[in-house]
Amino acid sequence: MVGLHLASPGMANLKLKLLGEVQVVRGGQKLELPPSKKTRALLAYLAVTAKQQRREHLCELLWEIPDDPRGSLRWSLSKIRRLVDDDNQQRIKADRNVVALDTQDLMIDTQELAALARSDLTSVDCDRLIDAVRELSGQFLEGLELADFHEFSSWCLAEREQVERNRLLLLKAVTERLVGEPERRLEFARELVTLRPYDKANRVQLIQLLNDCGRGAEAKQQVEQGSRMLQEVGEDTVALHQAFKKKPESSQTSHTTLEATKSKAAASFAGNSAIQAQQSLLGRERELELIGSCWKEVQDKRVARCLLFRGEPGIGKSSLLDHAYQLARANTASI
């Protein structure tokens, strides 16, 4: 079983967060970072590369010649030492030629994300996987762009792309695990579209889920936005419009069965609540009638009955179940 945190319990409780704004957390307390962007960038670079770096290379990476780069590097290292060193261990290893950060007992969120993405995600508990997706979020080194330093910018961009690829793996794993639970799945389907807005399959999935959750207006917006973007890159938009027009369950009635007794008296018994439900569940008249019939038999004969909803994932079983629940509630049933 793969957990969220990969450091062993005996290691120092020092965590470096590089997703979103850079943070150093010791014992659950966020430490105050130096205001210098270059100092935070240096800390991140040493942590992610996790190997010795020549002082000359670090100077070229983050400082310009007129700025006394060696003096600036020494100043930044002194600030980083105050954050990561303690009485038991000095994590900054430096001499006249090279500098390194000892990361063996550091908890670094990008490393946690990468390790989880490389693991067998099917063996990870679904709730723990969801927690990881939510916790390990944010852009790599958000707000730490150093446009004038091209080598650092190129390195940062490459790391951001790798983080994004790792998050995509986790998000796809979560959406696969939540098939049949459109409301829970929706959160992660939205993020997939945010990360890959030109991916047609992700957009189609989101449109279908919005329809399943009764959010037709938002689904229509996704069709319009996705169509504009796909047309920009010469892609057809047929799949988006088909996903929007495909009403939940309307074309798949034969695949969903309700094991109950049909009765023509169901609609009149259900009253206004059934009429309202039929308006929101177009194409499901037969199923609604069966639900009403079953409930009427329970009331008239004072017997227990069981409804079994069966069918392919995503065709609206949850909506029918919710209708049955609301109908029973409206008639003072004990749920």
Side-chain angles (χ1 to χ4, degrees):
M1 187 66 67
V2 179
L4 179 57
H5 297 301
L6 304 177
S8 66
M11 290 184 176
N13 191 11
L14 186 65
K15 182 165 186 174
L16 179 58
K17 295 174 66 69
L18 303 178
L19 299 175
E21 294 185 359
V22 176
Q23 295 180 23
V24 178
V25 181
R26 187 189 298 275
Q29 297 295 318
K30 186 168 68 172
L31 305 182
E32 184 177 354
L33 299 183
S36 166
K37 277 190 173 184
K38 292 181 180 179
T39 301
R40 285 176 275 157
L42 176 63
L43 172 60
Y45 187 78
L46 292 173
V48 173
T49 57
K51 63 180 182 180
Q52 287 187 342
Q53 301 289 345
R54 292 180 300 104
R55 284 181 179 265
E56 290 83 357
H57 169 66
L58 296 175
C59 289
E60 293 170 358
L61 189 73
L62 292 168
W63 287 279
E64 297 176 357
I65 297 300
D67 295 336
D68 183 17
R70 281 189 167 269
S72 298
L73 175 60
R74 286 193 299 271
W75 183 87
S76 289
L77 287 174
S78 70
K79 300 298 181 182
I80 293 174
R81 282 192 178 94
R82 296 177 185 177
L83 295 170
V84 301
D85 288 355
D86 53 45
D87 294 337
N88 299 320
Q89 184 176 1
Q90 293 189 354
R91 295 180 178 86
I92 290 292
K93 313 290 185 181
D95 59 27
R96 294 181 60 184
N97 300 312
V98 297
V99 177
L101 174 63
D102 185 353
T103 61
Q104 289 187 18
D105 65 344
L106 281 181
M107 297 169 64
I108 304 175
D109 55 359
T110 53
Q111 291 182 356
E112 293 182 60
L113 176 61
L116 192 55
R118 290 193 300 266
S119 69
D120 178 10
L121 294 175
T122 61
S123 68
V124 183
D125 176 77
C126 185
D127 289 336
R128 291 187 66 82
L129 190 57
I130 290 172
D131 288 342
V133 169
R134 289 171 175 163
E135 182 174 339
L136 301 173
S137 63
Q139 185 184 59
F140 178 73
L141 302 189
E142 185 177 334
L144 208 56
E145 291 79 9
L146 297 172
D148 294 336
F149 297 88
H150 302 299
E151 186 176 352
F152 177 82
S153 294
S154 297
W155 170 81
C156 185
L157 179 61
E159 291 297 324
R160 284 177 178 173
E161 291 175 349
Q162 183 59 58
V163 163
E164 196 170 282
R165 286 193 292 270
N166 290 337
R167 280 194 57 76
L168 282 170
L169 288 173
L170 267 61
L171 285 166
K172 288 180 178 179
V174 168
T175 56
E176 289 171 3
R177 300 279 282 276
L178 294 177
V179 168
E181 300 182 67
E183 288 288 353
R184 293 183 70 196
R185 198 180 183 193
L186 192 56
E187 171 189 347
F188 308 102
R190 280 199 179 101
E191 189 166 353
L192 277 173
V193 169
T194 299
L195 287 179
R196 288 289 188 270
Y198 289 91
D199 189 303
K200 191 187 303 184
N202 289 342
R203 186 82 62 171
V204 165
Q205 175 181 245
L206 178 56
I207 292 167
Q208 290 174 339
L209 283 171
L210 288 168
N211 273 338
D212 289 345
C213 295
R215 307 186 187 191
E218 189 178 348
K220 185 178 180 181
Q221 290 178 352
Q222 287 295 332
V223 173
E224 295 171 350
Q225 181 183 17
S227 295
R228 287 194 300 270
M229 298 180 74
L230 289 176
Q231 288 168 358
E232 289 174 2
V233 295
E235 288 276 348
D236 71 82
T237 63
V238 175
L240 304 188
H241 293 279
Q242 288 177 339
F244 179 66
K245 292 177 182 178
K246 182 179 179 183
K247 297 297 182 182
E249 303 183 353
S250 61
S251 62
Q252 305 182 52
T253 302
S254 60
H255 298 293
T256 303
T257 61
L258 295 175
E259 296 183 2
T261 306
K262 183 176 180 180
S263 170
K264 293 183 179 179
S268 59
F269 172 81
N272 292 335
S273 61
I275 294 172
Q276 293 171 358
Q278 288 174 340
Q279 292 174 343
S280 62
L281 291 165
L282 296 177
R284 312 311 296 166
E285 290 79 9
R286 177 176 178 274
E287 286 76 9
L288 292 171
E289 188 177 48
L290 289 173
I291 292 171
S293 174
C294 185
W295 173 242
K296 187 175 187 302
E297 185 178 10
V298 170
Q299 290 287 82
D300 292 346
K301 298 183 179 181
R302 312 299 293 177
V303 294
R305 287 292 179 263
C306 176
L307 289 173
L308 173 64
F309 296 79
R310 187 171 60 195
E312 295 295 324
I315 64 171
K317 297 186 297 298
S318 297
S319 297
L320 286 170
L321 181 62
D322 182 67
H323 167 68
Y325 174 80
Q326 296 300 332
L327 181 61
R329 283 285 302 274
N331 289 278
T332 66
S334 176
I335 307 297

